[in-house]
Amino acid sequence: MFERVDFYAGDPILGLMVEYANDSNPNKVNLGVGVYYDENNVLPVLECVKTAEQRIADPISARPYLPMEGLPGHRKACQDLLFGKDAQVLQDKRVATIATIGGSGALKVGADFINAWFPQAKCYVSDPTWGNHISIFEGSGIEVGKYPYYDKATGTVKFDELIAFFNTLNKDDVVLLHPCCHNPTGVDLTQAQWDELLQVVQQRELIPFMDIAYQGFGEDMDSDAYAIRKAVDMGLPLFVSNSFSKNLSLYGERVGGLSVVCPTEEEAERVFGQLKFTVRRIYSSPPSHGGRVVDIVMNDEALHKQWVGEVYGMRDRIKAMRLKLKSVLETKVPGRNFDYLTTQNGMFSFTGLTPEQVERLKTEFGIYMVSNSRMCVAGLNGNNIDYVANAMAEVLKD
Ligand SMILES: Cc1[nH+]cc(COP(=O)(O)O)c(/C=N/[C@@H](CC(=O)O)C(=O)O)c1O
């Protein structure tokens, strides 16, 4: 009966977590999955989250179904973070926002909505991009193409090629964009490049879909949302998927959001209703616990302030690891340019190691990176950084 079903080859990122967990090497280092570990290699529970959890636990309360769109406070948290508190677009009620099962759930609901209401649309993702972007949109029945993005030779964006490619696209084609902290390259557009790119998006009447999963890990909460707010200022229709997995360290609680910026309040009402219907027919409603944590942390002024400080602490530790690794590698591998480690932004660094070198790091040293050479810098700390640098220097001799 099910012999027709293919065996699942596994996920290039999540599969690494299993391999790492089963690796008995006492020196193993996890630089694979995009998860933030602190200086003691521990996945942190943020202080602001601990306070929220205490409020949820005492007194313990019932767990009714949430509305399809999630808690109002969770949705407000997404809107304030993405568009800015009291932003005019929010006052005009032109943004339809739902709470979702992580950023992944937001992408899925958005893709199903687009396939339902823009059935001719193709979706174009950066080359390279987070692999699940392609799987999610193809899973929704949308044809996925790639736009030129990362220039391996220079470690920068192929911006002229990117602009030229966007000028060949058709009305209502979707372009999936990373507003900051590009996954997997860490290479971001400048604000001037965003201005130019969004002009082309407007001229070609494309649908920008911005996936922001690392807000606060780049520069700061507002700068990291520059592309989002610029698109709003230009009056563009806009999809935004956001994730609280990383910046609230709530990976397993599956908390995120999907926002759709519409030209009018009436159109936002229409979209909001269809987003709810799309949720209903995929998973009915989002989980309550994570939504309550988001609501409490983001809407309590003191906790929100504490949260921002904790995110910037994670950001700054990652930046410190970038600087340290760069300086150590420069001494161990003279003549090779490691500037990418400090010009790239956010949690990931695209090291440029060959698949064979990445494999050697894993098999000989127990160091796990994604096969495309993406390294999660947040897995580095003072105890393992010299070991990682020595191992990288060793495999780079090939
Ligand atoms: C760009 C991007 N968007 C969305 C997500 C999904 O986030 P969530 O809210 O947990 O559903 C991730 C997760 N990325 C890391 C983990 C993964 O692959 O699922 C990663 O790239 O390692 C992203 O890197």
Side-chain angles (χ1 to χ4, degrees):
M1 167 73 179
F2 296 112
E3 62 280 351
R4 71 186 71 182
V5 176
D6 291 336
F7 284 103
Y8 177 45
D11 181 90
I13 296 173
L14 299 183
L16 276 181
M17 285 168 70
V18 177
E19 277 191 76
Y20 175 79
N22 295 331
D23 188 332
S24 57
N25 183 333
N27 299 314
K28 66 183 180 180
V29 183
N30 185 3
L31 306 178
V33 69
V35 166
Y36 177 87
Y37 294 97
D38 68 14
E39 186 56 22
N40 302 310
N41 202 31
V42 170
L43 195 154
V45 178
L46 302 188
E47 292 305 315
C48 58
V49 169
K50 288 176 186 171
T51 303
E53 294 278 6
Q54 284 155 7
R55 291 186 194 172
I56 293 169
D58 184 17
I60 193 82
S61 60
R63 300 297 154 93
Y65 281 129
L66 265 56
M68 291 173 278
E69 68 273 21
L71 291 174
H74 181 158
R75 296 165 50 224
K76 181 180 184 305
C78 294
Q79 292 190 334
D80 290 348
L81 183 61
L82 297 174
F83 305 103
K85 206 168 172 55
D86 304 326
Q88 191 59 50
V89 71
L90 300 176
Q91 294 181 48
D92 297 344
K93 298 185 172 46
R94 289 196 294 114
V95 185
T97 297
I98 60 169
T100 57
I101 299 182
S104 304
L107 288 157
K108 173 57 183 174
V109 172
D112 274 18
F113 174 92
I114 287 165
N115 189 49
W117 297 99
F118 299 86
Q120 305 313 318
K122 283 183 65 175
C123 175
Y124 292 89
V125 300
S126 59
D127 180 17
T129 193
W130 180 54
N132 215 23
H133 279 156
I134 298 167
S135 303
I136 289 173
F137 274 78
E138 286 184 341
S140 291
I142 298 173
E143 191 182 335
V144 177
K146 290 184 179 179
Y147 57 78
Y149 189 78
Y150 181 69
D151 184 342
K152 206 170 179 177
T154 62
T156 60
V157 177
K158 299 175 176 174
F159 190 67
D160 293 343
E161 288 178 58
L162 171 55
I163 291 288
F165 186 84
F166 273 36
N167 272 307
T168 67
L169 301 181
N170 301 312
K171 179 176 177 344
D172 293 345
D173 275 344
V174 174
V175 283
L176 189 44
L177 304 162
H178 302 236
C180 71
C181 309
H182 185 270
N183 180 358
T185 69
V187 180
D188 290 340
L189 295 180
T190 63
Q191 292 189 355
Q193 288 176 327
W194 276 117
D195 293 353
E196 187 177 345
L197 184 67
L198 291 173
Q199 282 293 336
V200 176
V201 168
Q202 188 166 45
Q203 287 153 11
R204 304 296 301 179
E205 297 182 276
L206 308 179
I207 301 176
F209 196 129
M210 295 189 186
D211 179 29
I212 185 163
Y214 303 91
Q215 189 168 359
F217 284 97
E219 295 310 314
D220 58 62
M221 294 299 172
D222 296 322
S223 307
D224 288 357
Y226 176 81
I228 294 167
R229 297 177 189 177
K230 180 68 182 179
V232 171
D233 291 348
M234 291 169 64
L236 299 185
L238 174 68
F239 286 72
V240 187
S241 50
N242 73 282
S243 167
F244 290 112
S245 292
K246 290 86 178 174
N247 56 21
L248 263 173
S249 194
L250 281 179
Y251 306 89
E253 293 297 352
R254 313 306 300 128
V255 279
L258 173 66
S259 295
V260 184
V261 180
C262 305
T264 64
E265 181 178 354
E266 192 252 7
E267 287 170 273
E269 269 307 307
R270 290 171 180 269
V271 169
F272 186 56
Q274 291 301 332
L275 291 181
K276 291 198 294 186
F277 178 42
T278 306
V279 165
R280 178 58 168 160
R281 63 182 180 185
I282 302 176
Y283 57 81
S284 279
S285 59
S288 65
H289 187 78
R292 292 173 71 182
V293 174
V294 169
D295 181 2
I296 292 168
V297 170
M298 297 297 180
N299 295 306
D300 174 302
E301 196 174 336
L303 288 180
H304 184 274
K305 188 163 185 270
Q306 184 182 37
W307 169 68
V308 172
E310 290 190 273
V311 175
Y312 291 169
M314 294 192 278
R315 172 200 65 188
D316 293 344
R317 197 187 79 75
I318 292 171
K319 287 180 186 276
M321 290 297 104
R322 287 179 176 278
L323 277 168
K324 176 90 163 72
L325 183 60
K326 177 172 180 281
S327 64
V328 176
L329 281 172
E330 283 173 341
T331 56
K332 293 183 184 306
V333 192
R336 187 176 174 106
N337 185 326
F338 294 102
D339 289 349
Y340 67 80
L341 282 166
T342 50
T343 55
Q344 292 169 355
N345 225 3
M347 203 175 264
F348 304 118
S349 186
F350 219 39
T351 63
L353 268 61
T354 65
E356 295 72 25
Q357 290 168 334
V358 172
E359 184 64 19
R360 277 194 62 196
L361 283 179
K362 183 173 74 173
T363 53
E364 295 176 31
F365 301 93
I367 296 170
Y368 289 73
M369 290 185 190
V370 182
S371 54
N372 62 10
S373 89
R374 186 193 85 176
M375 166 171 65
C376 178
V377 181
L380 293 173
N381 57 57
N383 300 318
N384 65 24
I385 195 161
D386 286 317
Y387 176 71
V388 170
N390 283 321
M392 287 177 72
E394 187 58 35
V395 301
L396 282 169
K397 284 176 187 164
D398 287 356

